Amino acid sequence: MTAALDLLDLDPSLSEEERQIRDVVRQLVDDRVRPHVADWYEDGKVPARELAREFGKLGLLGMHLTGYGCAGASAVAYGLACQELEAGDSGLRSLVSVQGSLAMYAIWRYGSEEQKRRWLPSMATGEAIGCFGLTEPDHGSDPASMATRARRDGDDWVLTGGKMWITNAPIADVAVIWARTDEGVRGFAVPIDTPGVTAREIRRKMSLRASVTGEIVLDDVRLPADAQLPEAVGLKAPLSCLTEARYGIVWGAVGAARDCLETTLAYATNRTQFGRPLAGFQLTQAKLADMAVELVKGQLLALHLGRLADARRLRPEQVSVGKLNNVREALAIARQCRTILGANGVSGEYPVMRHANNLESVLTYEGTSEIHQLVIGQRLTGLSAFA
Ligand SMILES: Cc1cc2nc3c(=O)[nH]c(=O)nc-3n(C[C@H](O)[C@H](O)[C@H](O)COP(=O)(O)OP(=O)(O)OC[C@H]3O[C@@H](n4cnc5c(N)ncnc54)[C@H](O)[C@@H]3O)c2cc1C
């Protein structure tokens, strides 16, 4: 990273171990992602399974979980890994977030001992891929209205419905599916090869093209009783998984913004117009300064939330503050950087527009900006404005 971008000298506030983890992930991204990611993005094809195994070797999958082959790293270390992955591409951070913070976390937190032993070790190595099915075609921001049903039939469960916009679904081995039952919302670990399950890829995405997204159809899917996650009772279970994943996004978005700003600083220093580098114009410096200030504010916020998480004091609405601010500012930085690159800003030869397009999805998933405003608004006023 360009040293000048660490305006507030945040580096020394990281421990030696945190810096080491960050540097290892940064190296992996430099070696394994940067040389190929523009092609993956343009082609809309990413070797996700291969990458998952490489991420698994480094302990990045379910990194902040303990036992069952998981690395048991601190929240800050996990956040730093997300930052470096998303500096490569938001799609790769999504792969890791969905695997570790949504699918693995749901099983780790709410599963039976048998479910944990069955799924977590192979998910930690990347041999098995997981996805997390909450959103439906007609129910996004309002998952309480979900239409997917699970009914009991003897000891079995029978699931019917559909999930939409599910990251990793077309390559998954197991889907954590949330469904309405007579007793309220429950979660199920559904092997994707169960008869009645179909996972189709969603095509023509203009964002997160280096990430696999799909639709899951559940047509009278019969599951044994032990597919249900026994500790997951009510909607608060999937919402707690979302808080985990949103935390990673707080850090990841800063990574995408940093990559845009680093690219733009180098470009503006080298590109000459009117006989001087673009970086020498006052208007360009004003843009660069404002963006650098937002970047370090976002980094500080992520680090503060990480330290709260490691002290077991992080609350969901604090994660909403981070997700709302850091994604919104990262997107503003990406768009502003694009202006400084001129025509080259729209080229895939530079990462800036790819990051900007990716961040449009990041702004929407894991709670849109409006939903996080409502969460914060509820905390401030004591009034729920959701419905
Ligand atoms: C690339 C990608 C990957 C995804 N991966 C997953 C995944 O792995 N698993 C999963 O379950 N989901 C996933 N999602 C879905 C994502 O979480 C939803 O898109 C998101 O929750 C928003 O739902 P929606 O798209 O249905 O929008 P809607 O809920 O229809 O919202 C549309 C607009 O209305 C606004 N709005 C809605 N309600 C209110 C309100 N009460 N007040 C004010 N404004 C409101 C929203 O903020 C938004 O601007 C993914 C989405 C994308 C794009």
Side-chain angles (χ1 to χ4, degrees):
M1 184 181 101
T2 316
L5 278 181
D6 188 15
L7 276 178
L8 298 183
D9 285 344
L10 286 179
D11 217 53
S13 48
L14 301 177
S15 71
E16 185 60 35
E17 192 189 348
E18 286 163 353
R19 278 198 295 268
Q20 268 172 14
I21 290 174
R22 179 199 61 193
D23 293 345
V24 166
V25 181
R26 188 175 290 176
Q27 195 62 53
L28 173 83
V29 170
D30 282 347
D31 296 344
R32 194 58 190 91
V33 175
R34 287 191 194 280
H36 310 289
V37 67
D39 288 333
W40 296 336
Y41 191 90
E42 190 168 351
D43 299 343
K45 287 198 179 100
V46 57
R49 279 199 161 269
E50 204 179 307
L51 289 169
R53 280 192 286 269
E54 291 179 39
F55 295 160
K57 265 193 206 126
L58 279 188
L60 301 180
L61 305 176
M63 182 176 172
H64 60 309
L65 308 179
T66 48
Y68 309 96
C70 302
S74 71
V76 170
Y78 171 56
L80 287 163
C82 289
Q83 182 175 293
E84 295 310 319
L85 287 166
E86 196 146 353
D89 192 271
S90 304
L92 303 175
R93 199 267 310 137
S94 299
L95 171 67
V96 169
S97 288
V98 169
Q99 176 85 349
S101 289
L102 290 179
M104 290 175 74
Y105 179 79
I107 296 170
W108 181 86
R109 172 71 182 77
Y110 298 110
S112 65
E113 190 54 36
E114 195 194 326
Q115 288 165 338
K116 292 179 200 183
R117 289 216 187 110
R118 174 171 180 195
W119 293 112
L120 294 180
S122 56
M123 291 172 87
T125 60
E127 292 304 313
I129 302 282
C131 65
F132 182 89
L134 181 63
T135 304
E136 301 184 350
D138 296 330
H139 307 279
S141 300
D142 179 19
S145 306
M146 70 175 69
T148 298
R149 295 258 339 155
R151 66 177 163 81
R152 281 201 188 272
D153 186 19
D155 283 345
D156 292 348
W157 286 98
V158 179
L159 267 62
T160 313
K163 298 290 174 180
M164 191 70 182
W165 292 109
I166 308 304
T167 302
N168 295 348
I171 55 161
D173 301 282
V174 59
V176 171
I177 296 289
W178 301 95
R180 177 184 304 286
T181 72
D182 288 342
E183 294 102 47
V185 171
R186 295 290 183 271
F188 298 85
V190 182
I192 214 88
D193 57 5
T194 310
V197 179
T198 319
R200 290 191 211 105
E201 185 163 358
I202 295 175
R203 300 209 170 267
R204 299 200 180 133
K205 270 185 308 168
M206 307 306 281
S207 171
L208 279 191
R209 292 182 56 74
S211 168
V212 193
T213 318
E215 174 189 8
I216 299 178
V217 177
L218 303 153
D219 186 10
D220 279 340
V221 177
R222 181 169 291 275
L223 295 168
D226 65 7
Q228 190 207 333
L229 303 175
E231 306 299 326
V233 178
L235 195 62
K236 65 180 189 300
L239 295 185
S240 75
C241 302
L242 293 179
T243 300
E244 292 291 306
R246 289 165 178 171
Y247 167 77
I249 293 175
V250 174
W251 285 88
V254 170
R258 189 194 76 205
D259 196 55
C260 290
L261 198 45
E262 276 193 295
T263 304
T264 303
L265 263 180
Y267 187 89
T269 312
N270 291 322
R271 168 104 175 153
T272 301
Q273 290 292 293
F274 299 99
R276 71 163 94 153
L278 296 176
F281 295 115
Q282 290 184 359
L283 288 175
T284 311
Q285 287 196 9
K287 290 180 182 179
L288 293 171
D290 285 349
M291 291 192 286
V293 168
E294 286 308 327
L295 181 73
V296 291
K297 280 158 69 180
Q299 284 169 334
L300 262 178
L301 177 53
L303 186 58
H304 175 67
L305 296 184
R307 298 285 183 230
L308 284 179
D310 281 327
R312 304 272 175 271
R313 288 196 287 122
L314 183 62
R315 297 194 306 266
E317 76 273 12
Q318 294 172 325
V319 178
S320 286
V321 172
K323 205 262 182 185
L324 174 64
N325 181 77
N326 284 11
V327 181
R328 193 163 62 183
E329 295 307 326
L331 184 54
I333 289 173
R335 287 175 178 157
Q336 187 70 287
C337 284
R338 203 215 63 70
T339 67
I340 297 178
L341 265 68
N344 281 323
V346 306
S347 165
E349 297 299 324
Y350 294 87
V352 174
M353 190 139 172
R354 175 167 52 78
H355 283 306
N357 285 355
N358 283 337
L359 287 165
E360 294 287 352
S361 285
V362 180
L363 193 74
T364 287
Y365 69 23
E366 306 285 347
T368 63
S369 292
E370 293 79 8
I371 292 302
H372 291 294
Q373 286 171 320
L374 294 180
V375 171
I376 297 164
Q378 184 174 13
R379 171 75 186 181
L380 292 174
T381 64
L383 302 171
S384 167
F386 282 87

